[in-house]
Amino acid sequence: MINCDFHVHSTYCDGKNTLEEIAEAAVKKQMTALGFSGHSHTSFDESYCMSAESTEKYILNVKNLKLKYKDILPIYLGIEMDRFSDLDNLSRFDYVIGSVHYVKKDGCYLPVDESEEVFLKGIKEHYDGDIIGFCEDYFKEVCCLAEIDEVDIIGHIDLVTKFNEGGRLFDTADSRYVSAVDEALGRLAAKGKILEINTGAMSRGYRKTPYPEESILLKWQKLGGRIIFLGAAHSTDGLCFEFNEAEKLAKKCGFSSAVVVSGRAAKTVAKKVPGENFPLHWLNLS
């Protein structure tokens, strides 16, 4: 079982625990590594993200924790950068998760995952109720992440399905949806991006399975894409949440390796999952 997590939010953004509390919990869970990934600043919606000032405090705090825990737990400084973020100087971070939380339509930023009510309201008012049209525009924004060199990992690629458990809002087999997904996967694979298998919506009760859905992972595997297991934890309870289930899904989709973060040095270490015929190669981001 993978016992490290690099998609983690604290009280610097919309998380429930401080950086220190999370680090202490990681040690108690005997995690092998921990990476923080605060939400980057978006000027049009500061309700969930770090301000410019708090970003600097966040960076300093994580660096101090790196030193404090250097003999106990490897800690990494990451950032979850929204597609519409105004954050610059991404080279300061050990790794960057690129995510899309909004679709811009008619000059408005429509939230993808704030709540089901807000999600559907934006689609009704700006897409005449055409959910698939909204999804098409969402995946166009995902495609844009492929062109940002500093982005290493693509966060929750099918976030538009957060409120769609059991297909109750729309059909992900719709040809327009599939075409939009395929375009994004092709663009991301061509740029060597890493796709996260994200259990965050599971830990918060929105989904029974990780992002992305199985059909997307099967296509990503055929494209030769790499994966990483991330919890999108907003509390200490979310650290490495149900990674055993995520690993089973990856194995089912044909993956035999996964990525972990280890700064930006090129190094490969192989490890087997006890009791499983599933060799995991712990590849560093280069």
Side-chain angles (χ1 to χ4, degrees):
M1 178 179 175
I2 291 179
N3 197 25
C4 51
D5 200 345
F6 307 99
H7 189 159
V8 179
H9 298 290
S10 72
T11 50
Y12 274 101
C13 51
D14 59 350
K16 295 181 179 179
N17 296 101
T18 65
L19 296 179
E20 184 79 27
E21 288 171 341
I22 295 166
E24 290 175 359
V27 171
K28 289 180 180 179
K29 290 174 181 281
Q30 298 183 320
M31 287 174 58
T32 56
L34 172 67
F36 295 107
S37 57
H39 282 295
S40 64
H41 184 252
T42 50
S43 60
F44 54 87
D45 182 3
E46 297 182 326
S47 64
Y48 77 106
C49 63
M50 299 186 291
S51 66
E53 180 182 3
S54 63
T55 298
E56 298 306 316
K57 292 180 180 178
Y58 161 77
I59 292 172
L60 180 60
N61 199 341
V62 174
K63 287 182 176 179
N64 288 336
L65 286 175
K66 281 189 177 194
L67 293 174
K68 179 177 179 178
Y69 286 87
K70 63 183 179 66
D71 297 325
I72 306 172
L73 175 71
I75 292 179
Y76 298 96
L77 171 62
I79 192 80
E80 183 176 8
M81 190 199 75
D82 184 76
R83 157 74 177 99
F84 296 106
S85 173
D86 52 12
L87 181 70
D88 57 11
N89 197 8
L90 294 173
S91 62
R92 294 180 292 173
F93 301 96
D94 294 323
Y95 61 95
V96 177
I97 300 172
S99 299
V100 176
H101 296 98
Y102 308 89
V103 169
K104 190 175 183 181
K105 181 73 169 179
D106 304 326
C108 299
Y109 293 94
L110 310 179
V112 176
D113 65 329
E114 181 177 327
S115 70
E116 181 177 338
E117 180 183 5
V118 170
F119 175 72
L120 293 176
K121 182 175 183 288
I123 292 169
K124 179 180 179 180
E125 293 179 353
H126 295 273
Y127 287 86
D128 293 324
D130 181 11
I131 293 183
I132 300 299
F134 179 93
C135 293
E136 288 177 317
D137 283 352
Y138 167 84
F139 282 108
K140 287 178 183 177
E141 300 300 346
V142 173
C143 286
C144 292
L145 296 174
E147 306 307 317
I148 304 174
D149 292 339
E150 293 86 353
V151 169
D152 304 293
I153 301 163
I154 302 302
H156 38 59
I157 188 172
D158 57 345
L159 185 63
V160 287
T161 63
K162 179 175 178 177
F163 310 113
N164 194 45
E165 183 69 22
R168 63 191 189 82
L169 297 180
F170 64 94
D171 184 4
T172 57
D174 182 284
S175 60
R176 292 165 58 202
Y177 182 89
V178 171
S179 178
V181 169
D182 290 350
E183 175 67 18
L185 292 178
R187 294 271 292 274
L188 296 170
K191 294 293 185 176
K193 304 303 184 185
I194 301 162
L195 210 62
E196 71 168 3
I197 298 183
N198 178 319
T199 61
M202 296 172 66
S203 66
R204 294 189 293 282
Y206 291 102
R207 290 172 59 108
K208 295 179 180 179
T209 56
Y211 300 114
E213 66 176 34
E214 186 176 323
S215 62
I216 291 177
L217 283 176
L218 286 167
K219 292 176 180 179
W220 188 245
Q221 195 276 335
K222 289 182 180 180
L223 288 169
R226 295 178 294 168
I227 57 170
I228 185 169
F229 298 104
L230 301 179
H234 286 71
S235 70
T236 55
D237 292 339
L239 293 170
C240 300
F241 187 84
E242 294 287 2
F243 277 12
N244 56 329
E245 293 301 316
E247 288 183 43
K248 289 177 184 177
L249 175 61
K251 181 180 177 181
K252 180 181 178 182
C253 292
F255 289 95
S256 61
S257 63
V259 174
V260 296
V261 176
S262 183
R264 292 183 178 272
K267 181 181 177 183
T268 302
V269 182
K271 179 169 181 165
K272 283 214 175 210
V273 178
E276 294 282 349
N277 184 26
F278 184 19
L280 294 175
H281 301 285
W282 300 62
L283 308 177
N284 302 326
L285 299 177
S286 59

